[in-house]
Amino acid sequence: TLGGPHTQSATHGYIVGGYRHQSPSGNRSRIEKYAFASSVTSATVADAVDPVPQGGGTSSTTDGIVQYGNLVKKHQFATDSDAVSHGSLVQDLDYRSGQSGTTDGYFSGGRRGVTNQGSTGFPDIEKVNYASNTTATDHGDLPHGRYGPKGTQY
C-alpha cells in the first residue's frame, strides 16, 4: 500500500489509507497500527470510513488527524475507533505534508487531484485546531509551491 498519511502516538505509529497496486487494487480506508517498542507486523485496528490515498497526517497527544482533498478526519489513539469528521480544509488538495504542533496541526503544500494539469504544487499552509471541529484557517504560504513533501512531529 502506498501514499497513505501517517500519524503517531507516544507508543505507536499509524498508517491511514493509501493506494494498493496489487489486485484488488484501489484506494484504501483502513487504519493500521504498529508498536514502536517491538518488531511486529502492523494490524488493522479501525477504518477511516472514506478512502484516504495521498493525504497528509498530523498528531496531537490523543488523536491522529488526516486529510485528503479538503476532507479532515480524526482517529483516537486510546480507543482505536473509526475516524470521524473533523472539519475541512480551505483548499481541495492532495499530496500534502503534515506538521504537528502542541495545539494545532498544519498541512502544507499540495497538488490538485488531476494529474494531467502539470501542477508543480501549491504553496498553501493551513492550520487545524485539534480541539475544535471547524474549517481550517489560512496560515500563510511556503516560498514555493510543492507537493509530496513529508512532515514532522513536534
Side-chain angles (χ1 to χ4, degrees), residues 136-148:
T137 57
D138 183 20
H139 194 71
D141 290 322
L142 301 169
H144 304 285
R146 295 184 171 86
Y147 70 88

Side-chain angles (χ1 to χ4, degrees), residues 35-99:
F36 293 145
S38 60
S39 194
V40 297
T41 302
S42 66
T44 300
V45 295
D47 194 82
V49 182
D50 297 298
V52 184
Q54 298 108 357
T58 182
S59 304
S60 72
T61 56
T62 58
D63 304 296
I65 307 286
V66 297
Q67 70 75 220
Y68 176 66
N70 66 347
L71 179 72
V72 179
K73 296 279 189 158
K74 175 171 75 171
H75 68 96
Q76 294 182 332
F77 298 139
T79 62
D80 287 337
S81 55
D82 289 350
V84 296
S85 179
H86 191 70
S88 62
L89 297 177
V90 177
Q91 293 289 331
D92 186 1
L93 303 171
D94 58 11
Y95 291 98
R96 288 187 151 207
S97 173
Q99 295 83 38

